[in-house]
Amino acid sequence: MSSFMGRATFVAAAAVCLTVGPLSVSAAPVAVFENGGDRLAGTQNGDGGWGWPLSGTSAKNTIAPIAMGLAQAYCETGSAGQLTALQNAGTFFLNKTEKYSTADGYIAAELDAIFSTTIYSDHIKTNYYDKLAAGTYSRDGGVTFLNTAQEIQRVIDGRTNSGIGNLAAWDIGMGLVGAVALGLDSAPWIAGTEATINTLDGGTVVSPGYYDVIGLAGAVYGLASAGADFDPTSGEHAAASNLADLAAVLASYQMVTGGFTWNKNFMNPADDDETTQETAYAILALAEFNHSLYSTQINDAADWLTTTQLANGGWKGWAGGAENNEVTGEALWALRASVPEPASLALFCLGLAGLGAMRRRRARG
């Protein structure tokens, strides 16, 4: 961006968020968002991206959840420093021309809303979604071209071949969230999400299936955002008859502390089985499905996230882990989604639920 455009978008975004507040819709103390957003601004690299888990070269595949959390923090605080960091994150996003993540759609929609523009959605539509629709998307500039169904299968195969097949449900579910946020054809993303639900498997205590909880959370979030129902036909959730049943299963993974477990077989707070990412996406999924029905679970989970914030403003993946920019962004995002949005507020800075029709332990590669 030119310096002129930067100043103009800064003023426009400040006007959008600050005319009503800031738009406080969270029960979490504003200090949680001040400290969390400032922490992300402080760990941001000069190119606008963030290292993973905390430092180093900017990772292209985690820009979406980190920037989404920063956006929610800014909309709670109205901080000029956080807005500058968010604008820099937008610059990093616009410099991505290949190796897109399935999550990139929702951050494009969020940046458009905050900065009152379409440049971010136009960018990803041109370079990713339009090419997928035409079957001309090359992930790395090579000669292998993919259409939407092939891209979804590539993600599923990559997770499966890495021994973490459950994580594909999260990947594709969040891809569905992004497609809905941008008003795109969601049918192939719905089909992909349903297929991954049919393969979820939490395993056993002796041989746990990693990422079963976050996989289900991402899938429920995606289908709820699309208004789609689903009756699983296979896998460990085959007994479920609809999305409501799947949401209830997800809610059952919450522990007495309020946090959600990393695997269905491990529900012991004394063993630090709660994880930040699973808790954040469970909040997002349950809030999107039916906030009123799951308000108690959402509030308890939000309380757990608030109490686990580090003194520097960030979050660890779990009690025994290390601080992680990605989970800090996800925690901030979930905390802001933990309270229903007042109908009278403007649609800007309210996260995906307010956009209407634009409507842990281990690394997530």
Side-chain angles (χ1 to χ4, degrees):
M1 292 184 183
S2 69
S3 59
F4 174 80
M5 184 176 183
R7 287 193 296 272
T9 53
F10 183 99
V11 172
V16 165
C17 279
L18 296 182
T19 50
V20 288
L23 305 178
S24 270
V25 297
S26 174
V30 68
V32 170
F33 295 96
E34 290 173 345
N35 295 336
D38 288 350
R39 179 59 173 168
L40 288 178
T43 58
Q44 189 176 39
N45 290 333
D47 61 3
W50 284 268
W52 199 98
L54 191 62
S55 60
T57 302
S58 295
K60 292 184 177 181
N61 65 323
T62 54
I63 184 65
I66 299 173
M68 190 66 167
L70 177 62
Q72 302 314 303
Y74 163 66
C75 288
E76 283 289 314
T77 66
S79 163
Q82 291 177 15
L83 182 58
T84 297
L86 189 60
Q87 184 177 339
N88 292 338
T91 299
F92 182 85
F93 181 84
L94 292 176
N95 284 331
K96 284 181 62 171
T97 57
E98 58 186 27
K99 292 189 176 179
Y100 284 101
S101 165
T102 58
D104 285 338
Y106 66 70
I107 190 56
E110 189 74 3
L111 290 170
D112 274 359
I114 290 176
F115 291 108
S116 301
T117 185
T118 63
I119 59 173
Y120 303 101
S121 60
D122 289 345
H123 176 78
I124 194 169
K125 286 176 182 177
T126 298
N127 290 287
Y128 186 55
Y129 292 106
D130 289 351
K131 290 182 178 180
L132 286 175
T136 59
Y137 173 63
S138 174
R139 180 168 170 77
D140 56 5
V143 294
T144 299
F145 300 100
L146 305 174
N147 60 29
T148 305
Q150 290 168 332
E151 166 71 350
I152 291 170
Q153 192 61 50
R154 179 194 67 78
V155 174
I156 294 172
D157 291 344
R159 294 304 195 186
T160 301
N161 294 338
S162 297
I164 49 175
N166 286 330
L167 197 52
W170 173 71
D171 288 315
I172 308 305
M174 298 312 294
L176 175 54
V177 170
V180 170
L182 292 171
L184 303 175
D185 178 18
S186 61
W189 296 96
I190 291 174
T193 301
E194 293 174 345
T196 57
I197 291 174
N198 280 333
T199 64
L200 286 172
D201 183 4
T204 65
V205 172
V206 176
S207 181
Y210 294 118
Y211 309 122
D212 62 316
V213 176
I214 196 171
L216 181 60
V220 169
Y221 186 18
L223 291 177
S225 73
D229 206 353
F230 179 55
D231 180 1
T233 58
S234 60
E236 69 177 18
H237 300 305
S241 298
N242 47 41
L243 188 61
D245 288 347
L246 291 170
V249 172
L250 176 62
S252 75
Y253 297 147
Q254 187 172 32
M255 300 168 66
V256 295
T257 56
F260 279 71
T261 183
W262 63 279
N263 177 269
K264 70 170 189 176
N265 300 294
F266 297 88
M267 301 280 290
N268 187 357
D271 292 335
D272 295 325
D273 286 332
E274 309 100 321
T275 53
T276 305
Q277 250 182 338
E278 279 74 2
T279 302
Y281 282 102
I283 289 174
L284 291 167
L286 296 176
E288 185 71 16
F289 175 73
N290 190 325
H291 196 293
S292 177
L293 179 63
Y294 287 106
S295 61
T296 297
Q297 292 87 342
I298 291 168
N299 290 338
D300 289 347
D303 287 344
W304 183 81
L305 285 179
T306 299
T307 61
T308 56
Q309 186 178 30
L310 301 174
N312 65 14
W315 272 267
K316 295 180 178 181
W318 81 103
E323 185 183 355
N324 187 307
N325 289 323
E326 183 180 359
V327 297
T328 294
E330 290 158 339
L332 291 167
W333 182 9
L335 282 170
R336 196 149 196 275
S338 66
V339 173
E341 296 150 11
S344 61
L345 288 181
L347 296 182
F348 298 101
C349 283
L350 294 180
L352 293 177
L355 290 177
M358 284 187 60
R359 235 278 279 187
R360 129 166 73 90
R361 292 198 175 199
R362 295 144 187 99
R364 312 239 196 271

